[in-house]
Amino acid sequence: MQAILYKDFQQLRHNSAMLAIAIIAIVMPILCIAVIPIFGMDRNTAATMYQFAIITLGVCLAPALAIDAIRSDLANGTILTVRACGRPLHQYVIAQLVWALIPIATASAMLTTFAYAIASPLRLAILTPQGIATAFTPTLMAFACYLWSICVKGKALLMTSTTITETPHTETQPGVNQLTAIRVTDMTFGYKSHKPVLEHINLNVPAGQSLGILGYNGVGKTTLFGIITGLLRPQQGSATINSSVFHSMREVFQLSDSGNLSPTMTIRENLKFRSMLYATHANPHPIDIQHLDELPMVQAFELGEHLDKKVKDLSSGLKKRAGIVAGMLFEPKLILLDEPTNAVDPITRQLLIDLMKQLTANGRTILTITHDLEYCWEVTDRIIILDNKHLVKDCNINDFPNIDAFKQAATLGREHINVNFGISK
Ligand SMILES: Nc1ncnc2c1ncn2[C@@H]1O[C@H](COP(=O)(O)OP(=O)(O)OP(=O)(O)O)[C@@H](O)[C@H]1O
């Protein structure tokens, strides 16, 4: 809960528009009450000013706290991070409720006390049931905004489910009894009920394997990741992560497009937020926040000089590097990477190849969605290809005599040669 409140506070602090609204929400009502004794207002005018002050507080502060925080979390992958740290989602829901209600309830109580103390015409009005109800109006508005956020904006959040469960052993090759890391069984999924994106997918990923997931744009690769991590629910069949291999979601890292980083926070603040989420009684400081620039992973990806930059001010490649480092620092055992080499420079790409080879040698299970066939050739043991809603190819990298044969298989023999673009000579 402390981590979520820390993140909400940092996000508000860095969002100048929201911060300005929050300051207006506090200053305006104070001024409205302060002018009552200065102008010697009568009881009726003072009561109107008081109501105006309270409504201003609610209208400005309630959406800024209750709606903005949850909407940002859904957009930037914070929900993924919260799930990945293995904490139950209800802790997130409660933390956001505290963030939505406590500051506004405190501000209302202080404003009412201030009005009672300095505006004598208001004293009787404040002590009536109607006066007390008025004082609670901003809190009720914040609660309504919070419910709206959770039910409408946060629907995706409520739909998530845990896919970590006991999965029986299977023989992946005759005579080889290997632990299954991920099993997808006869899975069908569509964003609309009668329009499947993936149909009857069966997939068994043994623990310790590096699997490449290939396929044309829009074929459903990212969707498959969403189903495996429980962010999307299959319409038919199942997808499970084996709890005998991965004990909780904190051992699972998924690199999403946003890198699961809050764009308004700096890399350092994002790492501190994650560190707070991953903290346990036994290990209260999973990473050394004070000496981040000395961590080998931070040094390897040359992030030291960028630690105090806001994520939204980073280039796409740096964002990707920061996202990878933010996940890897917590030593995940199951790594799901969505186009890791997208937007990175050749040096970082080579760094990623070396890192993935070391992690595979170290027994980690890695699933990589990629269009970078040379990267795939270097780091994966096996590839699957999705096409036209189905899993159409499943083979070991060793099955190909050379990279050209691999590339031809990976593109399903659909290279376009001598295409007419209609460009006039
Ligand atoms: N939230 C969503 N709502 C509705 N349709 C969606 C949603 N997300 C993805 N889709 C659709 O589902 C299909 C599969 O999308 P997905 O992102 O899984 O493809 P992909 O294989 O990862 O593509 P790419 O290689 O371009 O990243 C696409 O047709 C896409 O338009």
Side-chain angles (χ1 to χ4, degrees):
M1 179 175 315
Q2 201 191 349
I4 299 290
L5 297 179
Y6 166 79
K7 174 204 65 68
D8 286 343
F9 178 72
Q10 296 300 343
Q11 279 178 338
L12 181 68
R13 195 169 71 88
H14 289 305
N15 187 336
S16 33
M18 280 298 166
L19 196 59
I21 291 173
I23 291 170
I24 291 171
I26 308 280
V27 174
M28 271 280 286
I30 293 176
L31 289 179
C32 288
I33 301 295
V35 296
I36 296 174
I38 295 172
F39 290 107
M41 290 179 187
D42 61 31
R43 202 175 144 183
N44 283 346
T45 321
T48 309
M49 282 304 267
Y50 171 64
Q51 280 168 1
F52 178 72
I54 284 283
I55 297 296
T56 307
L57 183 74
V59 166
C60 292
L61 216 51
L65 295 175
I67 298 179
D68 192 58
I70 295 173
R71 191 179 49 199
S72 320
D73 286 356
L74 284 166
N76 65 35
T78 301
I79 302 295
L80 263 182
T81 315
V82 172
R83 281 179 50 87
C85 76
R87 293 191 190 277
L89 262 178
H90 71 255
Q91 287 188 1
Y92 170 84
V93 175
I94 293 169
Q96 291 296 25
L97 183 64
V98 168
W99 173 252
L101 297 191
I102 301 295
I104 205 161
T106 312
S108 306
M110 287 169 73
L111 189 71
T112 307
T113 313
F114 177 63
Y116 188 84
I118 73 154
S120 48
L122 278 178
R123 280 186 194 149
L124 278 179
I126 285 175
L127 289 179
T128 60
Q130 199 191 346
I132 293 168
T134 308
F136 277 106
T137 312
T139 313
L140 289 176
M141 287 166 85
F143 187 60
C145 288
Y146 166 82
L147 284 183
W148 184 81
S149 280
I150 290 286
C151 296
V152 180
K153 295 273 172 199
K155 210 162 47 184
L157 184 153
L158 299 173
M159 288 295 287
T160 59
S161 60
T162 177
T163 57
I164 291 210
T165 138
E166 189 86 36
T167 311
H169 298 198
T170 42
E171 287 195 357
T172 46
Q173 287 168 26
V176 181
N177 197 359
Q178 220 172 347
L179 276 175
T180 298
I182 291 171
R183 169 162 317 157
V184 181
T185 312
D186 195 25
M187 186 276 293
T188 295
F189 173 84
Y191 290 93
K192 291 188 183 134
S193 53
H194 47 280
K195 273 194 170 177
V197 170
L198 293 167
E199 259 181 340
H200 305 297
I201 304 290
N202 287 296
L203 174 66
N204 230 329
V205 186
Q209 188 168 70
S210 174
L211 176 79
I213 302 173
L214 308 179
Y216 285 91
N217 288 133
V219 82
K221 303 179 294 296
T222 307
T223 303
L224 180 61
F225 268 12
I227 291 161
I228 290 171
T229 52
L231 287 175
L232 302 170
R233 287 184 190 205
Q235 286 159 357
Q236 187 193 313
S238 64
T240 52
I241 297 173
N242 191 356
S243 60
S244 320
V245 185
F246 311 104
H247 301 108
S248 83
M249 283 304 279
R250 43 189 304 129
E251 295 181 0
V252 181
F253 165 54
Q254 183 185 357
L255 177 74
S256 67
D257 266 355
S258 66
N260 310 347
L261 301 169
S262 166
T264 49
M265 283 157 57
T266 64
I267 299 181
R268 195 185 296 278
E269 288 163 353
N270 269 290
L271 293 180
K272 184 168 176 191
F273 166 54
R274 275 171 181 253
S275 176
M276 289 165 90
L277 276 179
Y278 280 74
T280 57
H281 284 300
N283 184 11
H285 304 290
I287 54 172
D288 184 357
I289 285 293
Q290 304 306 325
H291 303 100
L292 275 182
D293 34 6
E294 290 168 24
L295 297 177
M297 194 64 82
V298 172
Q299 289 185 345
F301 282 89
E302 295 178 15
L303 280 179
E305 60 178 296
H306 305 290
L307 285 174
D308 294 307
K309 289 185 188 163
K310 284 186 200 165
V311 171
K312 70 181 166 81
D313 297 335
L314 298 174
S315 69
S316 320
L318 279 172
K319 242 180 251 175
K320 186 116 318 180
R321 270 152 63 174
I324 289 166
V325 169
M328 293 303 170
L329 280 177
F330 299 93
E331 309 205 341
K333 291 195 180 136
L334 173 60
I335 301 164
L336 307 170
L337 303 173
D338 199 341
E339 299 184 32
T341 58
N342 198 2
V344 301
D345 59 62
I347 307 282
T348 311
R349 184 174 170 279
Q350 188 55 47
L351 211 61
L352 270 173
I353 292 175
D354 295 343
L355 175 65
M356 291 310 141
K357 282 183 173 169
Q358 279 191 31
L359 289 170
T360 315
N362 201 262
R364 316 290 173 99
T365 309
I366 307 175
L367 273 65
T368 313
I369 293 174
T370 186
H371 297 291
D372 181 344
L373 297 180
E374 278 153 24
Y375 173 87
C376 190
W377 173 256
E378 293 254 16
V379 304
T380 61
D381 308 320
R382 171 187 168 199
I383 56 149
I384 58 163
I385 305 181
L386 299 174
D387 193 41
N388 195 18
K389 304 175 196 168
H390 293 95
L391 197 162
V392 293
K393 241 186 206 338
D394 183 346
C395 37
N396 291 323
I397 283 284
N398 293 340
D399 295 344
F400 301 101
N402 53 46
I403 187 165
D404 291 332
F406 165 63
K407 280 184 178 174
Q408 189 163 13
T411 49
L412 299 170
R414 286 202 208 136
E415 296 89 345
H416 299 300
I417 301 161
N418 297 330
V419 179
N420 177 8
F421 293 105
I423 300 171
S424 52
K425 288 183 183 154

